Amino acid sequence: MTPQLRPLFLLATLLLSFLATTMSFATAAEVTVKIQTPGTGPLVTASHRYQSHVTLYIANADGTKTPSGWSTRQSDGAARDAPFAFQPGVGLIEGWSEGVLKMNEGERSWLGVPSEKGYGARSMGSQGGGGFWIPANSDLLFDIEILGKEGGAGAGTKQDL
């Protein structure tokens, strides 16, 4: 390598190193979908409204989960089964929309949402009171089952939350 090209080579190496570091931070904020039960229906799209059963947990750094106090399932503490109606991209946290768009109707999955794509630095709910609580900067874990399109067969009773 010629002496004239060394500074350029050094600059290019530093730039690539910086980009690699930046990209590794970007992947830390990815939404994950881990299938519990595969769905047999079509892929969820942003053009429809869906019914779902959901239980929300706070994902702890040690891999455990803490119930947030919000569920639409009677088996997970709700007063009765009351499906949650939603349309991807409409009034939802970014991570929810991103994750459900990777799911099929009928699918039940663990949807992992990093704080950056959830509520970020905002706390939600009522700490120590009734209802749910999500501390600021919490990574979220949703146990979500897409029941089907709203008004479709098997969609259940409507409840907007």
Side-chain angles (χ1 to χ4, degrees):
M1 177 180 306
T2 65
Q4 296 86 352
L5 291 178
R6 279 196 183 140
L8 185 57
F9 179 76
L10 181 60
L11 180 62
T13 302
L14 289 172
L15 181 60
L16 286 174
S17 176
F18 172 75
L19 288 174
T21 303
T22 303
M23 291 174 76
S24 69
F25 283 117
T27 59
E30 288 185 17
V31 172
T32 60
V33 178
K34 294 183 182 171
I35 297 173
Q36 297 179 63
T37 306
T40 57
L43 193 64
V44 171
T45 69
S47 60
H48 291 96
R49 192 165 164 85
Y50 296 88
Q51 293 285 316
S52 63
H53 273 305
V54 186
T55 302
L56 172 59
Y57 299 90
I58 306 305
N60 301 314
D62 65 1
T64 61
K65 61 186 183 293
T66 302
S68 72
W70 184 70
S71 181
T72 66
R73 292 184 183 95
Q74 188 172 18
S75 62
D76 287 337
R80 62 182 170 79
D81 283 341
F84 174 66
F86 72 93
Q87 183 172 351
V90 179
L92 300 167
I93 59 172
E94 177 185 358
W96 173 290
S97 292
E98 186 178 319
V100 297
L101 289 171
K102 297 176 184 177
M103 296 177 66
N104 290 76
E105 290 181 39
E107 181 177 320
R108 183 171 182 174
S109 289
W110 289 106
L111 180 62
V113 177
S115 173
E116 298 86 356
K117 292 188 177 184
Y119 296 104
R122 295 176 295 155
S123 297
M124 298 296 291
S126 175
Q127 185 176 14
F132 72 98
W133 171 243
I134 302 169
N137 302 309
S138 292
D139 292 334
L140 307 174
L141 186 62
F142 294 92
D143 176 357
I144 179 170
E145 179 181 9
I146 307 295
L147 301 174
K149 289 180 185 74
E150 191 170 64
T157 306
K158 178 184 169 192
Q159 177 188 345
D160 288 316
L161 297 176

